[in-house]
Amino acid sequence: MYAIETSKLTKKYGSKTVVNGINLQVPQGEIYGFLGRNGAGKSTFINMLTGVSFPSAGEFTLLGQSDIDLELQKKIGVLPDYANFYDEMTALNHLRYFLKINGHRFSKEHCSNVLKKVGLEGHDHQKVGKFSFGMKKKLGIAQAIVTDPDLIFLDEPTSGVDIESALYIHELIRELQNQGKTIFMTSHNLNEVEKICTRVAIMKNGVILIEGTMEELRFQYQAKKTVMIKHDPYPNSHKEYIQQFFRTLSPEVEYHHMYTKVMLQKERNIPLIIRELIQCGIDIYQVHVEEPSLEEIFLQKNIVDHSQVS
Amino acid sequence: MWAISVKEFQSLFKSIKSIIVILIVCGASYGIAHIVSQLGGQLTSAQVRDGANGGILVMLLGFGPLFISSLSHNVINQEIKTRTARFLVTKTSRERIVLGKFLGICCFWLVCISISFLLIAFISHHFSFYIFLECLLFTVCIISFVLMLSALTPSPTHTMFLSIILSFVLPVLSGWSIFSSKAYIAWFKYVTPYYYLKLEKGYLTVLLIFAALCLCTALWSFKRREV
């Protein structure tokens, strides 16, 4: 059973198609990153799955269930995009209210623990009207997890929060995954998604361009690895030969006095380089292989542009 | 649903507007009962009793729509506008949200009307259950009508404007249609709750049907609304 399964899910506003026939399967226990720039259709997609808006066509199931009833809502936590709190209510009262309308019992100790977990310790009795944007975001995450749901939707959980809080939220998301929960999050930050997500989909103009695990994406897009070799300076007698050798492996080579940086398509070329340099009598001190980031892959393949990378 | 009702009930009691309305309703009830009891010598005991209890009904018929709509005209659309509804719809059904709000407002007015009738009973030593029931049913009708307006109209500003206009127009048109024999206005009495208060007791059920229709329309609208 998939945590989320959609079939030709479509959303139209008048003649404009915002989400265009998306088929998606999210296995349970994953941190699924849904990437795309503003207006790509990410939030609309989440809104349809969580009952905030309605599909124009297509179907979906959440935790194997197609009807969103109260029993299913109890198993789902949602941080909707652009949602607001009641300014006159305290953080603790919000959690109490949301627990009760979701059919759960209120426990002050549990709610205080959740607030502590999201970094709002000591703010239990503070009115939300006095909260900063980042604190409201944290409270949004708190209300999404306070019911201990199996499936959590987080729409841009770190947008607008400081770096420290963002890292804290990343840790929390990982912890939730370790507890066996499925997290479906949207973001327009490639680096963030790469750091914490186990699967990724990139959306553009209402359709999913690519989808898969990090390894699958790197393989699918034949991403080049950066190999840095630290060595003794090349002797003049072998310099021309070595440069010619590197050129047969890759056109992208940088020569420096004590190291060489080469972009390789195939990993099996690394031992070839080491063997060749040793045969030329050059001592090697270090070989560092750098996997390409999502950002580099997608920039290389023109799937995203520089405005999406931060 | 109960949590939403309790929140709505409490928030109504906390606002300045509602405190003013409570003071007006209770003050007017007290005033009417006091005046009627002062006129005791000139009226029969039955007139004193009905006058004291009926005073509050007349006040509700005239100003009830204004009081109710001024407090609750934005009960649904404000939640949508401020996007607090986004949290609600992901945690409970839309039916429960609408019914919860409806019950919360009804409870608030039940308390207000009960206090007014207790005040009157304390002064006139009489409690008319039938007039109390009429007041409650009429109030429920108006609450469901206001809830429907709030669900149908996206903007709270528009509902405020609309409800103020209707609060003045509805009693006037209803009164005119009830007492006029002209066909172009007489039909109007059948579509407002006022006429059925004038008829026999059994017709009070029409008020419940009227309220149910408005509530169903509100539910139908909110279930289709993207928040």
Side-chain angles (χ1 to χ4, degrees), chain A residues 11 13 50-54 70 73 78 80-86 89 97-98 100-102 143, chain B residues 1 3-4 7 79 82-94 96 222-227:
Chain A
K11 181 69 186 177
Y13 288 106
T50 54
V52 171
S53 68
F54 311 103
L70 188 62
Q73 283 177 320
V78 187
D81 196 18
Y82 297 119
N84 262 325
F85 293 99
Y86 302 96
M89 275 169 72
Y97 182 52
F98 291 142
K100 283 188 174 175
I101 63 172
N102 200 216
Q143 64 77 35
Chain B
M1 185 170 77
I4 294 171
K7 186 182 176 297
E79 294 260 16
T82 57
R83 295 183 187 254
T84 46
R86 289 197 162 197
F87 286 122
L88 301 185
V89 297
T90 61
K91 298 201 182 299
T92 190
S93 69
R94 290 172 183 241
R96 283 167 194 253
F222 189 56
K223 280 187 82 171
R224 277 151 188 78
R225 180 70 59 82
E226 302 207 341
V227 297

Side-chain angles (χ1 to χ4, degrees), chain A residues 181-192:
Chain A
K181 300 182 190 311
T182 309
I183 295 109
F184 187 90
M185 59 175 279
T186 68
S187 177
H188 50 254
N189 188 332
L190 279 169
N191 294 328
E192 173 182 77

Side-chain angles (χ1 to χ4, degrees), chain B residues 108-162:
Chain B
F108 169 81
W109 281 101
L110 174 69
V111 170
C112 288
I113 293 169
S114 301
I115 292 170
S116 300
F117 271 81
L118 283 175
L119 268 174
I120 290 165
F122 180 72
I123 296 164
S124 68
H125 306 292
H126 178 72
F127 176 79
S128 170
F129 181 74
Y130 181 68
I131 296 177
F132 178 69
L133 190 67
E134 279 185 314
C135 286
L136 281 187
L137 288 177
F138 177 75
T139 309
V140 166
C141 255
I142 300 299
I143 290 170
S144 45
F145 182 71
V146 168
L147 201 80
M148 180 184 76
L149 275 185
S150 184
L152 288 173
T153 319
S155 160
T157 320
H158 291 163
T159 40
M160 188 176 70
F161 178 72
L162 203 61

Side-chain angles (χ1 to χ4, degrees), chain B residues 42-82:
Chain B
Q42 297 158 42
L43 302 170
T44 64
S45 58
Q47 281 174 321
V48 170
R49 287 200 304 263
D50 293 343
N53 284 282
I56 188 170
L57 177 63
V58 172
M59 187 182 58
L60 275 178
L61 292 177
F63 299 104
L66 182 67
F67 292 154
I68 294 166
S69 60
S70 66
L71 294 183
S72 305
H73 68 88
N74 57 358
V75 65
I76 302 281
N77 54 18
Q78 186 67 22
E79 294 260 16
I80 298 172
K81 194 192 172 197
T82 57

Side-chain angles (χ1 to χ4, degrees), chain B residues 164-175:
Chain B
I164 289 172
I165 299 287
L166 286 175
S167 300
F168 289 111
V169 169
L170 197 67
V172 173
L173 275 186
S174 300

Side-chain angles (χ1 to χ4, degrees), chain A residues 48-60:
Chain A
M48 284 192 285
L49 297 182
T50 54
V52 171
S53 68
F54 311 103
S56 306
E59 293 167 349
F60 66 90

